[in-house]
Amino acid sequence: MLSDQHEFRDAVHRTLSGLVTVFFLPLFFTYTGLRTDIGSIGTPLLWGFAALVLLAAVAGKFGGCTAAAWLGGFRVRESVCVGVMMNTRGSWSWS
């Protein structure tokens, strides 16, 4: 809707990005975490599936972000740092 309003979009982004990052993002993760019922994983087979899903998610995010950073011109050490930080923080900001 505002594709031609570059200055307005930038002003809104600068104004709201701090609020969203500091208030709404933790609120979202808190709400989601409180609704999670870890007790429903009752058998060793389900725990194994949960571990496989977690391993795939971490490895995929680490590998994908590391590779993207390396292909984008970062050194290997910096690329690995990007992969690690994407897993620990949950998001990445270039600004």
Side-chain angles (χ1 to χ4, degrees):
M1 217 165 82
L2 299 173
S3 63
D4 60 339
Q5 304 294 323
H6 300 290
E7 293 171 4
F8 179 71
R9 273 194 341 225
D10 291 341
V12 169
H13 181 266
R14 280 192 309 274
T15 304
L16 295 180
S17 66
L19 175 67
V20 169
T21 303
V22 171
F23 182 72
F24 287 113
L25 194 61
L27 187 65
F28 166 76
F29 284 113
T30 301
Y31 178 72
T32 303
L34 289 174
R35 289 189 13 212
T36 302
D37 181 17
I38 196 108
S40 65
I41 304 176
T43 67
L45 180 64
L46 290 177
W47 278 106
F49 284 141
L52 283 175
V53 168
L54 181 64
L55 179 67
V58 170
K61 194 168 188 179
F62 172 78
C65 293
T66 300
W70 182 69
L71 291 171
F74 284 79
R75 294 188 305 243
V76 173
R77 181 181 170 114
E78 294 170 335
S79 299
V80 170
C81 286
V82 169
V84 169
M85 293 306 293
M86 284 296 290
N87 271 297
T88 57
R89 184 166 182 256
S91 64
W92 183 268
S93 175
W94 293 102
S95 57

